[in-house]
Amino acid sequence: MVAPKQLLASLATIGSALGAYSFPPHQVRNAGEPVGQLKNISGIEMYISYPPGRNTSDKVLLFVTDIFGVPLLQNKLLADSLAANDYLVVMPDLFEGDAISVEEQEAGLNLTEWRALHPTPKIDSIINTTIGYLRNELKVQRIGGLGFCFGGKYVPRFLTANGGIDIGFIAHPSSLTEPEIGGIAKGISIAAGTLDASFNATAKGRAESILNTNNVTFQSNLYYGAPHGFAVRVNQSVPQQAYAKQASFIQAVTWFNAWL
Ligand SMILES: *[C@@H]1O[C@H](CO)[C@@H](O)[C@H](O)[C@H]1NC(C)=O
Ligand SMILES: *[C@@H]1O[C@H](CO)[C@@H](O)[C@H](O)[C@H]1NC(C)=O
Ligand SMILES: *[C@@H]1O[C@H](CO)[C@@H](O)[C@H](O)[C@H]1NC(C)=O
Ligand SMILES: *[C@@H]1O[C@H](CO)[C@@H](O)[C@H](O)[C@H]1NC(C)=O
Ligand SMILES: *[C@@H]1O[C@H](CO)[C@@H](O)[C@H](O)[C@H]1NC(C)=O
Ligand SMILES: *[C@@H]1O[C@H](CO)[C@@H](O)[C@H](O)[C@H]1NC(C)=O
Ligand SMILES: *[C@@H]1O[C@H](CO)[C@@H](O)[C@H](O)[C@H]1NC(C)=O
């Protein structure tokens, strides 16, 4: 039986070996008012959330959203929760004001038609412009990328050898292809749910096998009872869902604290 003090001391030793490792990370915030700011940069609206007491950080995260985008409260609170862990978080509007609302989705909006209005080259270009802003104007050396649902396809696309993102985290990705996974050359952390048909346990296993074959540093977790979207939107009354959201948040923060 290890005494708590000794356990903390050994965690601190691991921490210093990994650099600026903070333990434990702050919790994900699920309710309340967002604290970040909206800015129009290079013609793209961006939600920027700042680390406590500062407007800058050498640790910068690019947040690539789901289809609900910047307007969704839970996306802004998630960005704020990351920022509270000492990151500068930048979340660009990928859809030029055309993000979907939860109500529209529930009313049966035709997603095929909507997707056609926001093709992959267009999204790539918005992400590339955001990376340009971070590198050229904010002089950021290393960028961590997070992708949720829709965004989970795009972070891997920028984790190639010459891609603009240095380390990634994705949760319940949509439309992520095996060639895109095969192109990943930098570290990636993956959060998957057993109830997610878009990226199920089989897809997760395939991804692990590809990353392992390619010698990419990776980590992956499968959350039982977690549906598509669980890292962003969950029913807090369902214990497995509430747990999956909080644990996948800590997964992301722990990952970036160690590798960014
Ligand atoms: C952002 O600024 C550009 C001009 O720089 C303007 O064309 C565009 O409409 C603005 N976008 C938003 C969302 O305010
Ligand atoms: C932080 O403040 C400085 C000085 O006002 C400004 O130049 C810079 O753009 C700000 N950074 C962000 C990310 O807003
Ligand atoms: C959605 O739109 C596409 C393209 O217009 C069409 O082929 C498809 O049938 C529509 N789906 C539904 C459920 O209406
Ligand atoms: C990416 O952005 C840079 C500016 O930061 C630009 O020079 C380059 O052409 C862009 N590439 C693509 C593929 O959009
Ligand atoms: C995942 O989905 C694929 C097809 O989309 C299916 O073949 C496979 O059995 C599913 N795996 C699980 C664990 O449900
Ligand atoms: C992965 O590393 C092993 C051991 O160093 C090496 O044999 C193999 O060629 C590497 N594979 C790739 C895809 O780089
Ligand atoms: C959330 O889960 C609870 C418990 O299963 C259920 O009663 C409630 O209807 C759910 N809420 C929504 C919005 O689905």
Side-chain angles (χ1 to χ4, degrees):
M1 168 98 187
V2 182
K5 226 179 199 168
Q6 282 167 307
L7 180 60
L8 282 176
S10 57
L11 281 170
T13 309
I14 296 168
S16 51
L18 290 171
Y21 184 93
S22 71
F23 180 86
H26 294 273
Q27 303 264 315
V28 66
R29 202 154 61 91
N30 294 297
E33 288 294 314
V35 296
Q37 291 173 17
L38 285 170
K39 295 199 174 179
N40 184 346
I41 292 159
S42 313
I44 301 170
E45 189 163 51
M46 299 190 192
Y47 180 80
I48 303 185
S49 195
Y50 299 94
R54 288 180 297 141
N55 95 328
T56 186
S57 173
D58 52 4
K59 302 190 294 178
V60 174
L61 297 176
L62 169 55
F63 187 131
V64 188
T65 68
D66 55 17
I67 60 177
F68 307 113
V70 171
L72 186 78
L73 174 66
Q74 292 301 339
N75 278 331
K76 289 193 274 244
L77 294 178
L78 191 47
D80 291 350
S81 304
L82 292 160
N85 283 273
D86 225 23
Y87 291 91
L88 177 70
V89 185
V90 175
M91 179 165 74
D93 171 17
L94 306 171
F95 311 119
E96 303 173 297
D98 187 36
I100 286 174
S101 68
V102 173
E103 293 72 26
E104 282 172 317
Q105 191 209 32
E106 284 171 355
L109 179 122
N110 189 325
L111 277 175
T112 309
E113 283 181 352
W114 180 84
R115 277 181 209 280
L117 297 173
H118 305 284
T120 300
K122 180 72 200 165
I123 305 294
D124 279 345
S125 146
I126 290 170
I127 294 171
N128 179 56
T129 302
T130 308
I131 291 170
Y133 162 70
L134 296 176
R135 294 228 188 263
N136 305 328
E137 293 189 38
L138 299 187
K139 309 291 181 203
V140 173
Q141 299 296 317
R142 281 172 61 78
I143 298 172
L146 299 101
F148 300 92
C149 308
F150 181 95
K153 177 185 182 69
Y154 289 89
V155 166
R157 293 174 66 79
F158 286 82
L159 282 173
T160 53
N162 301 318
I165 295 177
D166 298 292
I167 187 92
F169 166 87
I170 59 172
H172 39 75
S174 306
S175 311
L176 177 61
T177 67
E178 290 193 0
E180 285 166 336
I181 296 166
I184 295 172
K186 300 162 193 167
I188 186 162
S189 175
I190 301 173
T194 59
L195 301 182
D196 181 13
S198 302
F199 189 78
N200 67 16
T202 308
K204 170 179 169 286
R206 283 287 305 148
E208 287 161 348
S209 161
I210 292 167
L211 294 168
N212 194 41
T213 301
N214 291 345
N215 291 344
V216 172
T217 299
F218 76 93
Q219 167 195 31
S220 55
N221 282 329
L222 182 63
Y223 294 95
Y224 175 78
H228 189 62
F230 71 83
V232 180
R233 296 167 59 234
V234 292
N235 182 337
Q236 291 289 343
S237 308
V238 180
Q240 284 83 358
Q241 293 190 25
Y243 172 78
K245 180 167 182 184
Q246 171 63 16
S248 61
F249 174 77
I250 290 179
Q251 178 185 336
V253 172
T254 308
W255 175 255
F256 288 119
N257 283 358
W259 300 111
L260 180 59

